Amino acid sequence: MRALIPNAVTVLALCFGLTGVRFAVSGEWEKAVAVVVIAAVLDGLDGRIARLLRGQTRFGAELDSLSDVIAFGVSPALIVYLWSLQQAPRYGWIFALAHAVCCALRLARFNANIDADEQPHKSAGFMTGVPAPAGAGLLMLPIMAWMITGIEQLNDPRIIAPWAALVAFLMVSNIATFSFSSLRLRRELRFPALAVIAVMAGALVSEPWITLAAIGGLYLLSIPFGMRAYARVKRRRAAEALPPDEPEAES
């Protein structure tokens, strides 16, 4: 039972993510994006539930990766293709494929390194590249902006195709990005952080798309800061690895 519960949450994430394609086929874009967001929330919970119940298994890790490929690789790619990229039949499908393939490559790299002894980014509390749920959110960011503003030009494939290529690159890149374990809050900032979370929860209820788009934009802006923060960690580690200077011999 300890392993069954987190695996059930993983399967639910897969089902919600893939259901987004069903809604996209019928042109229900709000529902299509919403179920992928729900899948991302469930994906963030399954690992924590497994650790809480001490139900981590290799099967669960493999299932989680397969679920992520479908929920955050295949499903968002098809949603964005049906929303915009199909208007460019010559090249639109290529960019949709690029997102799905890069998501699969990212997760394959993660699985291949899961038992590696040396993982510089992970040991410092960072992630390598943009994680799959965040990549799905970034890919669908133009859809959220379109739903907020109603500007029809936002689904122009000449805009969406380069955006999809950028998101695909960020997922398979080697840049360091923030993870929850890399974030540290000083004691005096914890209470204001709780207040911000409460405000965000209220904003999600009243204006979900504006709030989610703002979160996606802030995450995108955080990427250069994550790279800079990891560069500081890397320099500090390099300095600590240098042998101490030997005292000069007296003449």
Side-chain angles (χ1 to χ4, degrees):
M1 288 299 296
R2 289 200 303 268
L4 177 62
I5 294 174
N7 289 338
V9 175
T10 302
V11 172
L12 280 175
L14 187 157
C15 294
F16 272 102
L18 195 55
T19 302
V21 179
R22 182 264 182 197
F23 286 124
V25 169
S26 59
E28 299 176 87
W29 306 114
E30 289 192 6
K31 292 180 180 179
V33 175
V35 291
V36 176
V37 172
I38 293 172
V41 174
L42 293 173
D43 181 72
L45 292 176
D46 58 2
R48 287 165 176 78
I49 293 173
R51 288 188 291 272
L52 181 64
L53 298 177
R54 297 181 182 178
Q56 305 102 309
T57 62
R58 188 58 183 258
F59 173 84
E62 295 294 337
L63 178 63
D64 184 69
S65 292
L66 292 172
S67 171
D68 286 356
V69 169
I70 295 172
F72 309 122
V74 175
S75 183
L78 290 174
I79 291 171
V80 171
Y81 176 78
L82 293 171
W83 176 66
S84 168
L85 293 175
Q86 66 173 339
Q87 301 175 44
R90 287 190 175 182
Y91 62 85
W93 182 238
I94 296 174
F95 289 93
L97 281 177
H99 178 85
V101 170
C102 288
C103 184
L105 291 174
R106 171 189 169 75
L107 292 164
R109 179 179 64 184
F110 175 82
N111 287 348
N113 293 330
I114 197 167
D115 294 324
D117 295 329
E118 186 176 349
Q119 298 187 54
H121 288 165
K122 185 177 180 180
S123 62
F126 292 83
M127 305 191 78
T128 303
V130 170
L138 291 177
L139 182 66
M140 297 188 300
L141 198 57
I143 303 180
M144 299 182 199
W146 173 74
M147 290 188 294
I148 294 167
T149 63
I151 299 175
E152 293 296 333
Q153 289 78 6
L154 286 174
N155 73 342
D156 189 330
R158 291 172 295 182
I159 298 173
I160 304 304
W163 177 253
L166 173 63
V167 174
F169 166 76
L170 290 174
M171 285 196 295
V172 296
S173 68
N174 288 319
I175 63 175
T177 57
F178 284 120
S179 68
F180 284 111
S181 58
S182 66
L183 299 176
R184 298 287 186 272
L185 282 178
R186 296 193 298 271
R187 185 178 298 273
E188 63 271 15
L189 295 178
R190 292 175 185 174
F191 184 77
L194 289 174
V196 170
I197 292 172
V199 171
M200 287 179 59
L204 278 170
V205 174
S206 59
E207 292 291 345
W209 302 124
I210 294 176
T211 307
L212 289 171
I215 292 172
L218 289 173
Y219 178 79
L220 193 64
L221 292 174
S222 76
I223 292 176
F225 293 98
M227 296 169 62
R228 189 174 66 175
Y230 178 72
R232 289 198 299 267
V233 173
K234 191 175 180 181
R235 287 195 299 269
R236 186 175 69 247
R237 286 179 169 180
E240 292 172 351
L242 291 176
D245 295 333
E246 297 182 1
E248 296 182 2
E250 295 182 1
S251 56

